[in-house]
């Protein structure tokens, strides 16, 4: 199975919400980590390529919808 890592930038005011969601949900084979930055965080999603890509796309859309 092909593994991949995708990254999504999340502004600081949305990081707590996303972190809470990710820690309470069962993400299965998807692994995530956060790299904090000055104005927000980069969230890295690693796992099966298709799943990691869908997670990154979902988070990017979620951030845009709540900007």
């Amino acid at each position: 199975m092909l593994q991949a890592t995708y990254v999504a930038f999340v502004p600081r005011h949305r990081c707590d919400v996303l972190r809470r969601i990710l820690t309470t949900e069962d993400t299965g084979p998807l692994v995530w980590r956060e790299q904090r930055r000055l104005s927000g965080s980069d969230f890295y999603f690693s796992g099966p390529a298709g799943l990691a890509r869908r997670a990154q796309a979902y988070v990017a859309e979620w951030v845009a919808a709540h900007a």
Side-chain angles (χ1 to χ4, degrees), residues 2 7 9 11 18 22-24 27 32 36 38 40-41 43 46-47 49-50 52 59-65 67:
L2 184 62
V7 64
F9 177 77
L18 180 59
L22 291 172
T23 56
T24 59
T27 58
W32 66 275
R36 293 183 183 188
L38 186 60
S41 292
F43 281 83
S46 300
V59 169
E61 289 178 20
W62 177 78
V63 167

Side-chain angles (χ1 to χ4, degrees), residues 25-62:
E25 293 294 319
D26 177 15
T27 58
L30 186 69
V31 177
W32 66 275
R33 67 180 176 89
E34 178 182 7
Q35 179 67 49
R36 293 183 183 188
R37 305 275 180 215
L38 186 60
S39 60
S41 292
D42 289 329
F43 281 83
Y44 293 84
F45 300 95
S46 300
L51 181 60
R53 175 68 185 113
R54 287 192 303 274
Q56 184 274 340
Y58 180 82
V59 169
E61 289 178 20
W62 177 78

